Amino acid sequence: MTPIIRTLWLCLILSAVVAPIQAAPGGRLIATGGAMTVEGAAGGGIVPWAMLAGYGEDQEFGAAAWMTQVQPDDFSLQAYGAAVSLHNRVELSIGKQRFDIEKVVPGEELAQTIIGAKLRLNGDLIFSRLPQLTLGLQYKKNDTFAIPSSVGARDDNGLDVYLAASKLWLDGPFHRSFFLNTTLRATKANQGGLLGFGGDKGNRLELMGELSAGLFLTRQWVLGMEYRQKPDNLGFAREDDWYDVFVGWFPNKRVSVVAAWSELGSITGFDDQTGVYLSLQVSQ
């Protein structure tokens, strides 16, 4: 069974477990909970957005669980986790990543755990003139540090801090809803933390820019793109920025599916890593 098929089966099981919950999802509009990033925060695939997980409005509770498979040419990433939001003000999340490096070190994988928190500072995604503004933290703990250490990584843990601004225009281009997000992240994570933190070329927080945009073709379908800058701390192999083009399907508030074509650049010396990104999320 391929990793993608295995992930789909796990997602279907997850959906079956969550479906019997009787309480209706929260009061926010469909798709305004976004998807879940590979790191566990509400957003796109690779960029955290300013909205919070689930559909809980003020005085409501929201939640989401997710599974993601990314399949570049020479590697394989599986990620999964869950997040809750309280009163549309605070989001708490936990995520787990496993990265197969069989072609680099036979029989080995990289893994990390990510604990996140996000606070909505001001604004509203739709109803305020200014964008919704959110401050986020991600504590990352590399669980397989022997390999990152051997190639020059300094630490097995790190803290990313980011500021995200998101806005949704209901009557955007072509009279379609249009979404735009910008994120500034302070980080020293190598390949998002899977190769540790800091290195022989640098060991300080650097400010990185991230961008997402999406156009809703219908209320349920959105087409978009993302871009994420990355630090380059390890001398043994360069690290490139990430890009993706995605399609999101939100048939209802409980389930969403995101598929993307990802451009991940060079990973541990293997250049031009491109491949499919597939994620399924269940929300409350």
Side-chain angles (χ1 to χ4, degrees):
M1 184 181 294
T2 67
I4 290 180
I5 297 299
R6 184 166 58 250
T7 299
L8 282 172
W9 273 111
L10 290 172
C11 288
L12 288 172
I13 293 170
L14 184 61
S15 299
V17 170
V18 175
I21 297 175
Q22 296 301 310
R28 284 153 54 191
L29 296 178
I30 192 168
T32 55
M36 300 298 289
T37 70
V38 293
E39 295 166 319
I46 59 176
V47 177
W49 300 345
M51 67 272 284
L52 306 185
Y55 287 96
E57 260 289 9
D58 295 346
Q59 309 305 314
E60 293 180 338
F61 169 86
W66 55 278
M67 290 181 178
T68 295
Q69 178 76 33
V70 188
Q71 199 72 34
D73 296 323
D74 297 297
F75 303 95
S76 175
L77 172 67
Q78 288 186 326
Y80 53 91
V84 297
S85 62
L86 307 174
H87 306 303
N88 198 22
R89 180 63 61 178
V90 176
E91 174 188 292
L92 302 174
S93 63
I94 184 167
K96 185 76 174 182
Q97 296 178 339
R98 296 188 178 278
F99 190 67
D100 180 7
I101 56 170
E102 176 72 25
K103 288 193 175 182
V104 181
V105 185
E108 295 291 340
E109 69 174 13
L110 301 174
Q112 72 169 334
T113 303
I114 304 169
I115 299 173
K118 191 189 293 187
L119 174 66
R120 182 164 67 91
L121 300 176
N122 197 16
D124 183 86
L125 184 67
I126 300 172
F127 300 111
S128 63
R129 184 174 62 88
L130 296 177
Q132 183 166 314
L133 191 66
T134 299
L135 177 66
L137 304 173
Q138 291 177 339
Y139 172 74
K140 302 178 177 182
K141 177 66 168 64
N142 191 288
D143 302 320
T144 52
F145 188 59
I147 294 174
S149 177
S150 71
V151 297
R154 298 285 189 89
D155 300 302
D156 68 351
N157 67 90
L159 183 68
D160 285 8
V161 182
Y162 62 88
L163 187 68
S166 300
K167 185 65 178 171
L168 175 65
W169 292 270
L170 296 179
D171 187 17
F174 312 108
H175 300 290
R176 304 292 184 182
S177 296
F178 176 72
F179 171 80
L180 183 64
N181 175 88
T182 58
T183 299
L184 288 177
R185 180 193 301 256
T187 183
K188 60 176 182 177
N190 309 317
Q191 296 295 353
L194 286 165
L195 280 177
F197 304 85
D200 53 296
K201 292 171 61 178
N203 190 36
R204 61 181 179 83
L205 291 174
E206 297 183 64
L207 194 62
M208 299 286 133
E210 306 175 8
L211 176 69
S212 301
L215 181 69
F216 282 81
L217 307 179
T218 69
R219 290 185 62 187
Q220 285 77 35
W221 289 91
V222 58
L223 176 66
M225 58 75 62
E226 296 182 290
Y227 164 74
R228 174 170 167 175
Q229 279 187 317
K230 311 265 293 314
D232 188 20
N233 295 321
L234 298 175
F236 93 102
R238 78 175 189 275
E239 182 167 352
D240 294 329
D241 298 344
W242 287 345
Y243 310 81
D244 71 42
V245 177
F246 67 86
V247 175
W249 180 43
F250 299 83
N252 52 56
K253 288 187 179 182
R254 292 213 182 272
V255 178
S256 63
V257 181
V258 177
W261 181 256
S262 303
E263 298 274 351
L264 305 179
S266 179
I267 301 177
T268 65
F270 287 71
D271 292 340
D272 302 320
Q273 293 298 306
T274 62
V276 175
Y277 171 106
L278 181 63
S279 182
L280 188 145
Q281 172 185 329
V282 290
S283 302
Q284 174 62 35

